[in-house]
Amino acid sequence: MADPLLQVRALDAHYGDFQALFGVSMRVTEAEVVAVIGANGAGKSTLLKCIAGAMPVRHNAIQYHGVSIGGDPAHEVVSRGIALVPEGRRLFPDFTVEENLRIGAFNRADRPEVQRDIDDICEVFPILKERSRQLSRTLSGGEGQMLAIGRALLARPRLLLLDEPSVGLMPIAVSEIFKMIGKIPEAKAITVLLVEQNARKALAIADRAAVLELGRVVFQGDVDTVAADPRVKEAYLGG
Ligand SMILES: Nc1ncnc2c1ncn2[C@@H]1O[C@H](COP(=O)(O)OP(=O)(O)OP(=O)(O)O)[C@@H](O)[C@H]1O
Ligand SMILES: [Mg+2]
């Protein structure tokens, strides 16, 4: 088995007295898409926040390239190559599409390469090129989500954390977004950890998946095994 890029071990997370995660363990191997599915409140966003350095966690609970990053501040986690696209996108509404993309590269000094990366990303998301001079607040929900993902890619992450990319989108836009996400590992050699309520769509592009219920991983494995499990089918795939 390949060494994991990310290893989560017995991770607990708390908001004050409330415990949101209980002993979560999972691994993410380079260049795969791993989906975490679960209902509202299961702890999916909390898991991503822990990985991204936005929550206090125990030392060694999260290892990246074999090194503990659990408890490191968010900016250090980013500089190690982990990018989070949070729930709700958070674009700069009065900046154009192109300006929003460039903001993603703010910590890079390699100007010519940034332009090449923008061209590459516009190949994956052609709508961003068509809309490059448009203010981001005028984008549709799906276009905005593509821009948020594109902006995160411009930081040249090794690991992309996506929190509910399908929220608020029409079914057609959801299909489009997932098609694009499925292409990222191969096109850009980036590993994707995807958190989703839309289990069917997430499982369709993932290599492996974990099911989170009330803060616990209740099932994980390769995507075919997870999708074929009767309980998963019943609870998340509409029977
Ligand atoms: N800042 C907070 N303070 C207190 N409790 C919180 C906080 N953020 C989340 N929680 C609680 O932690 C639990 C897990 O929340 P989390 O946001 O991780 O769920 P989720 O799986 O992402 O849900 P959704 O699908 O609705 O986004 C929920 O019960 C939630 O109410
Ligand atoms: Mg969430």
Side-chain angles (χ1 to χ4, degrees):
M1 199 182 295
D3 280 345
L5 180 66
L6 181 81
Q7 176 96 52
V8 178
R9 271 203 198 99
L11 172 67
D12 292 340
H14 299 84
Y15 296 102
D17 290 338
F18 177 76
Q19 185 163 0
L21 295 179
F22 299 82
V24 168
S25 293
M26 61 183 300
R27 72 188 156 77
V28 177
T29 304
E30 194 119 39
E32 66 178 0
V33 177
V34 176
V36 176
I37 60 175
N40 286 123
K44 304 180 300 298
S45 298
T46 302
L47 172 62
L48 292 193
K49 284 192 258 175
C50 288
I51 297 167
M55 305 255 316
V57 307
R58 180 180 53 79
H59 186 71
N60 276 333
I62 300 174
Q63 295 198 342
Y64 179 67
H65 285 299
V67 175
S68 173
I69 60 164
D72 285 3
H75 67 269
E76 269 176 39
V77 175
V78 171
S79 69
R80 287 173 193 271
I82 300 179
L84 170 65
V85 180
E87 277 174 307
R89 297 162 212 153
R90 306 202 195 137
L91 298 168
F92 294 93
D94 293 319
F95 285 20
T96 65
V97 167
E98 169 145 12
E99 286 162 346
N100 267 281
L101 283 175
R102 290 193 181 278
I103 289 166
F106 79 96
N107 57 355
R108 290 174 54 181
D110 51 342
R111 283 280 189 92
E113 298 233 347
V114 168
Q115 186 55 53
R116 224 179 15 197
D117 282 1
I118 290 181
D119 295 344
D120 272 9
I121 285 162
C122 289
E123 249 174 62
V124 184
F125 302 114
I127 195 75
L128 297 183
K129 193 178 180 77
E130 284 170 38
R131 300 281 189 264
S132 68
R133 309 221 172 280
Q134 194 169 319
L135 296 185
S136 77
R137 67 180 150 81
T138 65
L139 294 176
S140 77
E143 291 163 357
Q145 190 58 261
M146 291 184 205
L147 177 55
I149 296 169
R151 186 178 61 183
L153 290 176
L154 269 166
R156 284 214 171 160
R158 299 280 304 281
L159 175 63
L160 183 64
L161 309 174
L162 296 177
D163 197 349
E164 305 262 11
S166 74
V167 160
L169 302 186
M170 289 170 55
I172 178 110
V174 173
S175 301
E176 193 76 351
I177 286 281
F178 277 99
K179 212 164 72 194
M180 306 295 184
I181 294 169
K183 287 184 189 163
I184 291 172
E186 204 175 347
K188 315 225 38 104
I190 290 169
T191 307
V192 177
L193 180 57
L194 167 72
V195 154
E196 259 294 331
Q197 274 187 59
N198 190 330
R200 191 178 289 280
K201 294 279 186 196
L203 295 182
I205 60 161
D207 300 298
R208 284 189 312 106
V211 182
L212 208 52
E213 277 176 14
L214 296 174
R216 291 184 166 86
V217 173
V218 293
F219 200 79
Q220 63 180 315
D222 70 76
V223 80
D224 296 333
T225 312
V226 173
D229 181 75
R231 275 197 51 209
V232 173
K233 274 188 173 164
E234 160 97 34
Y236 301 100
L237 301 174

